[in-house]
Amino acid sequence: MSPKKDTEEMNANTQACKGAPEFAQKSSLYQEFLAERDEILRHKWLESEKLGRDIGFERALLDWIRKHRENWRKSRKGVEKTKH
């Protein structure tokens, strides 16, 4: 698994956001989606490195949801509360 490939996928997120209509760029839901997708891609890279092969996005997604999503969301809410 190449860190370059995952970095390219994350950069595609940034480009997708820049290419999205202005309302989507300002949408907190869309921003949350992009942040979650970045976490899934990071998880995909880490797990692929451990196994020495690409585990694929779907497996990484399901594994991340099962193991990490709840705590990730709680930590995001905690960060949001401190910003206000």
Side-chain angles (χ1 to χ4, degrees):
M1 185 71 227
S2 160
K4 181 180 178 187
K5 182 178 177 184
D6 284 332
T7 301
E8 289 171 356
E9 287 181 34
M10 283 191 241
N11 288 341
N13 279 350
T14 304
Q15 292 304 319
C17 185
K18 288 180 182 176
E22 187 176 338
F23 73 90
Q25 291 179 29
K26 292 180 180 180
S27 164
S28 60
L29 182 61
Y30 186 65
Q31 295 303 315
E32 201 66 13
F33 161 76
L34 291 177
E36 190 168 306
R37 185 170 185 268
D38 283 345
E39 289 298 313
I40 295 163
L41 289 172
R42 184 173 290 113
H43 180 71
K44 176 182 176 282
W45 181 78
L46 291 170
E47 294 302 310
S48 295
E49 286 293 311
K50 286 180 193 175
L51 295 175
R53 62 180 174 77
D54 187 349
I55 66 168
F57 185 82
E58 186 173 333
R59 179 175 172 186
L61 168 67
L62 295 174
D63 189 55
W64 184 82
I65 288 172
R66 201 173 64 251
K67 295 179 180 175
H68 305 289
R69 185 185 218 177
E70 185 177 342
N71 289 333
W72 180 81
R73 285 186 169 177
K74 286 178 184 175
S75 71
R76 298 273 297 177
K77 286 181 182 179
V79 170
E80 288 300 315
K81 287 180 183 177
T82 60
K83 286 183 180 179
H84 297 300

